[in-house]
Amino acid sequence: MSVSKLPPPERVGSFSEKWPPKPTWKAPDDVPDLTGQIFLVTGGNVGIGRETCRVLVARNAKVYLATRSEERARIAIDDICKSTGKSNIHFLKIDLADLASVRKAAEEYMSLEQELHVLINNAGVLYSPGIGPQTAQGYDVQFGVHVLGAEPFSSFTFAAFAYEIEFLGHYFLTLLLMPTLLRTAKGEVSGKPTLVRVVSVSSDAHEMTAPKEGIVWDSLKKGDAALPARKKLTGTRLYGQSKLGMVLISSELARRYGDQGVVAISLHPGGVKSELLRHLHPIIAWIVEKIRIYPVSLGVITSLYAATSEAALEMNGEYLTAWARRQVPSKHAQNPELREMLWKWCEEQVSGF
């Protein structure tokens, strides 16, 4: 299977996307038994990530919770074990802001497991103030965490950097784990070929707040060379750009690996209460929470639908919105040339790591 063969999705209106109707697919009720499946979830210690791990463990999956802070991960793991009465969840240390750490995490996982059924690229940051500290390799944090694969810090300098790392770090992690995903898809270990999944948590911000150009390449330069472009864009645009990057990379994954048994889906989880709001001004955060924020129990639905439902196996290369509905992504997200350019840019950035 290469890309989705379903009829094109109908456009979900902006109002319905922000204030979605009651879900028709529910979590945990509609999540199937996952015995024998292995999941890796980045950013699984808080928010949607933690609740995703909780449901997966409850449904008998083996879960690796990948995050930077072991202390916070252990707190989350203890909480999940107590609430589910099950213990098949394990900590995997990863700092998505450091490509060397991403490689080390992938190598650690591959030393422990021969298979991986589902990778959920969940970790991210929201509207960090300004444009601040950079990743270990000097990238914008947002782009690095969401796409390349870095985890956030804080402060104005950090904002642009955090967004860049968001998708570059996740791209690198996915690339490093691809041999394991493909081996699982072929059934080389189990003897049973199966479809595997890469689920990337993006946002409707990929359309709402991304730059009008889609990707501002000057903002993706290393170090101080990118500061003028990052300052001009501000944290909001950089966040939208990073989320656009997540959708583009997911679509390219679908194109490149779909015929080898990989199902790649990106999604908007909905407006969900989480620690990502910590970077907003308190007054703005309060307003957003009152008019558009839903509980995490709803926010996990779309991720879990993409990661576990039988129906989602037919949706390779698609973009979903709350709650578990097919959606048409932005025009930039549908641009095959932009998709390929970003993939090649990511390849260049991770070369040597």
Side-chain angles (χ1 to χ4, degrees):
M1 143 182 200
S2 52
V3 294
S4 174
K5 293 182 174 61
L6 296 174
E10 295 184 5
R11 175 77 180 182
V12 174
S14 179
F15 184 90
S16 180
E17 187 162 46
K18 291 177 177 61
W19 293 278
K22 291 182 178 180
T24 57
W25 191 94
K26 300 178 181 180
D29 298 359
D30 293 324
V31 177
D33 178 69
L34 301 170
T35 299
Q37 294 193 44
I38 307 174
F39 289 71
L40 193 160
V41 184
T42 66
N45 57 311
V46 294
I48 291 176
R50 183 189 289 201
E51 295 309 308
T52 297
C53 290
R54 191 190 311 278
V55 175
L56 295 175
V57 171
R59 287 291 186 261
N60 302 313
K62 184 175 186 178
V63 178
Y64 282 86
L65 188 161
T67 189
R68 185 177 59 197
S69 170
E70 182 170 1
E71 179 182 1
R72 297 184 74 185
R74 295 299 177 193
I75 292 172
I77 289 172
D78 288 346
D79 173 53
I80 290 169
C81 291
K82 289 178 182 177
S83 66
T84 63
K86 300 176 181 180
S87 59
N88 205 0
I89 179 168
H90 313 274
F91 169 63
L92 182 68
K93 184 175 180 60
I94 186 170
D95 182 352
L96 289 167
D98 184 350
L99 297 181
S101 173
V102 175
R103 175 174 287 282
K104 185 176 181 180
E107 291 174 347
E108 173 68 13
Y109 178 85
M110 291 185 288
S111 74
L112 297 169
E113 300 289 350
Q114 292 183 294
E115 292 188 304
L116 176 60
H117 298 86
V118 183
L119 170 62
I120 303 180
N121 291 320
N122 169 81
V125 282
L126 171 62
Y127 296 162
S128 312
I131 63 159
Q134 300 170 345
T135 64
Q137 284 74 44
Y139 296 102
D140 163 62
V141 141
Q142 298 275 13
F143 206 80
V145 171
H146 296 159
V147 182
L148 284 172
E151 291 191 50
F153 306 92
S154 62
S155 95
F156 183 81
T157 297
F158 150 76
F161 158 80
Y163 302 134
E164 180 178 293
I165 290 305
E166 180 176 27
F167 77 76
L168 186 52
H170 279 130
Y171 162 86
F172 193 35
L173 178 63
T174 303
L175 196 68
L176 292 170
L177 292 174
M178 188 55 67
T180 304
L181 287 163
L182 294 177
R183 183 166 56 247
T184 307
K186 293 175 183 176
E188 292 181 3
V189 177
S190 67
K192 298 179 180 179
T194 184
L195 295 176
V196 298
R197 316 189 201 205
V198 177
V199 177
S200 299
V201 180
S202 180
S203 168
D204 59 354
H206 90 274
E207 180 171 25
M208 293 173 55
T209 69
K212 62 180 181 180
E213 305 93 324
I215 300 292
V216 178
W217 299 103
D218 283 348
S219 72
L220 304 186
K221 293 178 179 178
K222 291 184 181 182
D224 293 344
L227 287 179
R230 293 173 185 171
K231 288 180 178 179
K232 185 176 180 180
L233 286 175
T234 74
T236 301
R237 295 294 179 197
L238 290 165
Y239 178 76
Q241 177 174 263
S242 75
K243 291 303 186 181
L244 172 60
M246 292 289 282
V247 180
L248 289 166
I249 291 298
S250 179
S251 297
E252 187 64 8
L253 273 171
R255 188 187 73 81
R256 289 175 180 252
Y257 296 103
D259 60 357
Q260 299 180 61
V262 176
V263 176
I265 297 173
S266 59
L267 61 93
H268 166 54
V272 178
K273 186 174 183 178
S274 75
E275 287 196 358
L276 294 183
L277 294 174
R278 68 188 183 274
H279 293 301
L280 292 178
H281 187 283
I283 295 178
I284 296 177
W286 182 85
I287 295 173
V288 169
E289 187 172 340
K290 291 299 181 183
I291 66 173
R292 196 192 164 190
I293 297 300
Y294 293 86
V296 175
S297 59
L298 287 173
V300 298
I301 288 175
T302 310
S303 293
L304 287 167
Y305 177 82
T308 69
S309 75
E310 188 74 20
L313 291 174
E314 300 294 325
M315 299 177 185
N316 188 37
E318 292 204 24
Y319 171 75
L320 306 181
T321 192
W323 314 111
R325 295 178 294 167
R326 300 169 70 211
Q327 170 65 308
V328 180
S330 72
K331 290 182 179 180
H332 287 307
Q334 300 177 63
N335 184 334
E337 293 181 0
L338 185 60
R339 187 179 65 202
E340 188 171 351
M341 286 174 63
L342 184 60
W343 184 277
K344 289 182 178 179
W345 179 86
C346 288
E347 282 184 325
E348 293 172 356
Q349 310 317 304
V350 302
S351 177
F353 288 94

